[in-house]
Amino acid sequence: MVRISGKITSCGKLALWQRACSLLVGATASLPRRRSVAKSNATITAMEQGREWQLGLVLFHSIAKNQINPDVISFTAALNCCGRGRQWHLALEFYEAMLRERVKPNSYVFNTMISMFEKVRKWQHALAFFTEMASRQVQPDVFSFNSSISAFEKAAQWWLALSWFDTMSPHEVQPNVVTYNASISALEKGSQWQRGIQLFKAMQMCHVSPDIVSYCAAITSFGKGGEWQQVLLLHDEMSKRRVVPNMLSFNATISAVDKGGQWQLGLCFFNSIAQNKLQRDVISFTAALTCCGRGQQWQLALHFFGAMPRARVEPNAYTFNVIISMFEKVGAWHHSLSFFTGMASRQIQPDVFSFNSSISSFEKAAQWSLALSWFDAMSEKVQPDVYSFNSTISACEKGSQWQQGISLFEAMTKHKVGGFALSQDLYNPDHPCIY
DNA sequence: CTAGGGTTAG
């Protein structure tokens, strides 16, 4: 008799869920119950890893129908399916069902829940499950801490991330490279990049070797601070330590040196992606286009944009936003407009960035009626923010449409848009609309 | 059965 669950598990790792399914179906139904649960669990996981999370859930339900009680591993696998499908409400129901059926949740269950809440950006829920874990006498392990820190990182809750980090030793859990990486990112996202760099240095003192993800986090941190020279030093250090850069680290580098004003250097790093025989993705191109924007190199930007189909890379909303904003900067409003309309023809939904950058470019060119019509179109799709109002009001002012400007201003204060961050124009004592 | 990284304007 072959160990079928092992085979199914390897199918999952290779994302061969169809094969996993047929192995399961092909197996005889006369296996001992314990073995068949293991088999089903392996299949659920295989489906989840093959991104067929719905099928995994279907299989989970079929276990119960075949009078086999799902065990804690079945529930964990099902929870992972929920996580993959971002179905956190459903996951909560599974958790409740599990308690009802007297299946004791273990650390895997809690870690899976915490990780799911990280994915759906619900850090309070992640925290609640971390606490729930303690109340059910399950000791948190390195996965619990790391997943929680990541959940806090996504929400820029750097203080919580650090306090979790500090709680690890009292719990006798050793931080590992993932702990450091998540914490460095949390500090960077919380605008504490210097602290993040301190942690990056501290990990080496604690004999945890930085890997490519650590370097990525450090590069992004230095980028936040505009420290582009330090980014170059990190690249030297990486090659000395034989940490191989990948597409993600190059993408981070392009953006980091660009933020330090070194847009040409950013473009060099963009070129090195292909030189290193690595794939470029939409983020690589978008980062390169951002460099072009900073350097006001719009012809070059059009060249990169034109090169995307050949690299089989589809632009997304970020890509278009960068281009629209670049044309705003160089004062080419008709180009902003044509890229904005280009989004629709590619079924890309314009977001608040797309609208605001377009309105700004119309405002700069005193195209008040375009600005107004964009503002109106925007209001039907996305929530205008303080900048949307400011640019549109400013456009009205430039076009001597002061009545329109005033009514927008009133609408803005009525809806409490942007709190106290009001338009400079409206505070200008020379402004005819208000004074 | 469980954990980490990269892209956008004013």
Side-chain angles (χ1 to χ4, degrees):
Chain A
M1 178 60 79
V2 281
R3 285 300 305 261
I4 195 104
S5 60
K7 274 196 179 176
I8 295 172
T9 305
S10 16
C11 289
K13 286 188 181 129
L14 297 167
L16 297 169
W17 61 272
Q18 297 97 329
R19 174 86 184 119
C21 261
S22 71
L23 276 172
L24 181 78
V25 171
T28 54
S30 58
L31 286 168
R33 208 158 262 193
R34 206 164 46 81
R35 287 281 292 279
S36 38
V37 173
K39 234 171 15 144
S40 303
N41 294 347
T43 313
I44 296 169
T45 303
M47 288 165 169
E48 184 263 312
Q49 288 175 353
R51 293 165 202 278
E52 296 293 334
W53 58 271
Q54 295 101 326
L55 279 177
L57 291 178
V58 169
L59 180 58
F60 177 86
H61 285 295
S62 77
I63 295 180
K65 265 188 230 144
N66 292 322
Q67 279 134 17
I68 304 170
N69 290 330
D71 62 10
V72 67
I73 300 180
S74 326
F75 275 104
T76 308
L79 289 172
N80 265 308
C81 291
C82 296
R84 171 81 69 182
R86 312 285 133 113
Q87 305 291 312
W88 63 274
H89 287 284
L90 195 56
L92 287 175
E93 283 176 33
F94 275 112
Y95 181 74
E96 295 295 326
M98 197 175 165
L99 300 180
R100 268 199 312 277
E101 290 174 30
R102 312 230 173 266
V103 176
K104 256 189 88 177
N106 61 13
S107 60
Y108 285 78
V109 169
F110 289 109
N111 297 346
T112 300
M113 292 300 278
I114 295 169
S115 167
M116 178 191 66
F117 286 122
E118 179 237 313
K119 285 193 200 95
V120 300
R121 313 283 150 119
K122 300 247 171 231
W123 65 270
Q124 295 97 330
H125 287 71
L127 194 148
F129 268 86
F130 190 93
T131 315
E132 168 90 351
M133 198 171 180
S135 66
R136 295 197 176 268
Q137 331 285 342
V138 179
Q139 292 304 318
D141 60 12
V142 69
F143 286 88
S144 330
F145 280 101
N146 292 352
S147 303
S148 303
I149 292 172
S150 284
F152 303 148
E153 179 252 318
K154 297 288 182 306
Q157 299 284 338
W158 65 274
W159 184 252
L160 268 174
L162 268 195
S163 74
W164 250 243
F165 186 97
D166 290 337
T167 320
M168 290 177 79
S169 349
H171 279 85
E172 299 186 331
V173 179
Q174 282 294 322
N176 63 14
V177 64
V178 176
T179 319
Y180 280 100
N181 296 349
S183 306
I184 296 166
S185 291
L187 289 165
E188 177 263 311
K189 286 225 173 68
S191 306
Q192 302 287 319
W193 66 269
Q194 295 98 331
R195 280 179 208 258
I197 293 298
Q198 280 172 16
L199 203 55
F200 176 74
K201 291 181 176 151
M203 73 189 283
Q204 305 176 55
M205 308 280 279
C206 297
H207 307 290
V208 178
S209 313
D211 63 6
I212 185 62
V213 181
S214 323
Y215 279 103
C216 227
I219 288 167
T220 308
S221 300
F222 276 130
K224 260 272 171 73
E227 302 272 354
W228 61 274
Q229 302 93 332
Q230 296 296 324
V231 174
L232 298 186
L233 290 176
L234 284 177
H235 269 265
D236 291 340
E237 201 181 299
M238 278 164 71
S239 65
K240 277 197 203 101
R241 300 197 178 185
R242 315 222 171 257
V243 175
V244 182
N246 60 19
M247 177 182 70
L248 271 64
S249 69
F250 278 118
N251 291 352
T253 305
I254 297 167
S255 169
V257 297
D258 173 62
K259 285 196 176 85
Q262 302 297 309
W263 59 270
Q264 301 97 326
L265 202 51
L267 293 178
C268 291
F269 278 105
F270 175 78
N271 285 332
S272 36
I273 303 179
Q275 281 159 12
N276 284 274
K277 309 244 183 286
L278 294 166
Q279 289 292 323
R280 295 165 300 184
D281 72 355
V282 62
I283 298 184
S284 322
F285 276 98
T286 304
L289 287 165
T290 306
C291 293
C292 297
R294 189 177 305 277
Q296 311 219 338
Q297 303 293 309
W298 63 271
Q299 299 95 331
L300 196 55
L302 290 180
H303 160 77
F304 283 127
F305 185 75
M308 290 178 74
R310 266 178 280 127
R312 290 166 200 271
V313 176
E314 281 284 319
N316 63 18
Y318 279 68
T319 318
F320 278 93
N321 294 347
V322 166
I323 296 174
I324 292 168
S325 162
M326 176 189 67
F327 283 123
E328 183 252 327
K329 242 180 266 167
V330 301
W333 65 272
H334 46 282
H335 279 123
S336 293
L337 190 147
S338 79
F339 273 91
F340 184 96
T341 51
M343 292 178 83
S345 56
R346 289 169 185 263
Q347 331 267 41
I348 300 168
Q349 292 299 321
D351 60 13
V352 66
F353 280 81
S354 334
F355 279 103
N356 287 358
S357 303
S358 304
I359 293 172
S360 280
S361 72
F362 303 148
E363 181 261 322
K364 259 193 174 168
Q367 296 285 338
W368 64 272
S369 89
L370 271 175
L372 265 183
S373 68
W374 249 246
F375 183 88
D376 289 339
M378 169 180 203
S379 311
E380 288 163 18
K381 292 182 177 174
V382 294
Q383 183 77 248
D385 63 10
V386 65
Y387 296 105
S388 330
F389 277 98
N390 287 354
S391 312
T392 314
I393 293 169
S394 179
C396 290
E397 186 256 321
K398 275 191 182 157
S400 308
Q401 303 294 311
W402 58 274
Q403 303 96 325
Q404 299 263 30
I406 285 187
S407 64
L408 276 171
F409 176 72
E410 283 166 355
M412 176 165 72
T413 46
K414 201 166 88 191
H415 295 109
K416 297 193 174 57
V417 173
F420 300 103
L422 294 179
S423 165
Q424 290 269 311
D425 283 348
L426 296 167
Y427 281 118
N428 182 352
D430 301 328
H431 201 287
C433 299
I434 302 297
Y435 292 90

